[in-house]
Amino acid sequence: VQLQASGGGLVQAGGSLRLSCTSSRRTLRGYSFGWFRQVPGNEREFVAVIRWSGGDSYYADSVKGRFTISRDNAKNTVYLTMSSLSPEDTAVYYCAADSGLILSQVKNARAYDFWGQGTLVTVSS
C-alpha cells in the first residue's frame, strides 16, 4: 500500500486546513487509517484514526472537537479537517494505514506498516 499525503501549509492561529491521504490500494475493507504528527525531538504522536469498514473514528484529547477525520470510498482517500488551529498544532503530519489492527493498536504508531511521506503544517501566532 502506498500512501500520498498532501494539504499542509502555513496558516494563522484560528484558521483551518484539510489534509488528504490517498491510498494506492482500492480495496480497503479491514484497514485502519491514522494521522500522526511529529515535531523535532519528539516521538510521533497519535492524532486521529478511522476504521475504513464502519467508519468508526477516534481522536487524541488534544484535537477532539477541532479535528475531523473522514473518508471518501470512491477516491480511496482519508481526510483530516483541522480547525481552530493553534501554534501547538505545528508539526509534520503523517498518514498511516494497516489492516487487521485491533482497537488497542490503532493509536500506536508502531502498529502501522504503511506510511505516507508527511506534510508540514505550520500555524503562526
Side-chain angles (χ1 to χ4, degrees):
V1 179
Q2 292 183 328
L3 304 176
Q4 181 69 40
S6 62
L10 175 63
V11 63
Q12 288 189 333
S16 300
L17 276 177
R18 189 179 76 163
L19 306 182
S20 301
C21 176
T22 300
S23 167
S24 62
R25 181 182 175 91
R26 298 187 64 83
T27 304
L28 295 169
R29 185 182 303 169
Y31 274 76
S32 298
F33 279 77
W35 284 99
F36 294 81
R37 64 187 182 186
Q38 190 170 26
V39 297
N42 287 6
E43 291 191 356
R44 205 161 287 190
E45 173 191 25
F46 168 74
V47 175
V49 63
I50 189 166
R51 305 278 225 170
W52 197 269
S53 305
D56 295 348
S57 58
Y58 307 91
Y59 298 90
D61 288 343
S62 59
V63 307
K64 204 171 293 184
R66 301 188 299 123
F67 290 12
T68 302
I69 190 169
S70 60
R71 72 194 192 295
D72 185 327
N73 291 343
K75 295 181 179 180
N76 306 320
T77 298
V78 171
Y79 301 101
L80 184 69
T81 303
M82 307 182 293
S83 60
S84 301
L85 286 162
S86 72
E88 289 70 34
D89 295 315
T90 295
V92 177
Y93 283 71
Y94 297 90
C95 64
D98 213 328
S99 64
L101 298 183
I102 60 176
L103 192 55
S104 62
Q105 294 177 304
V106 297
K107 298 180 181 180
N108 184 351
R110 292 183 175 86
Y112 291 82
D113 284 337
F114 305 105
W115 289 86
Q117 78 280 17
T119 184
L120 177 62
V121 173
T122 303
V123 184
S124 63
S125 58

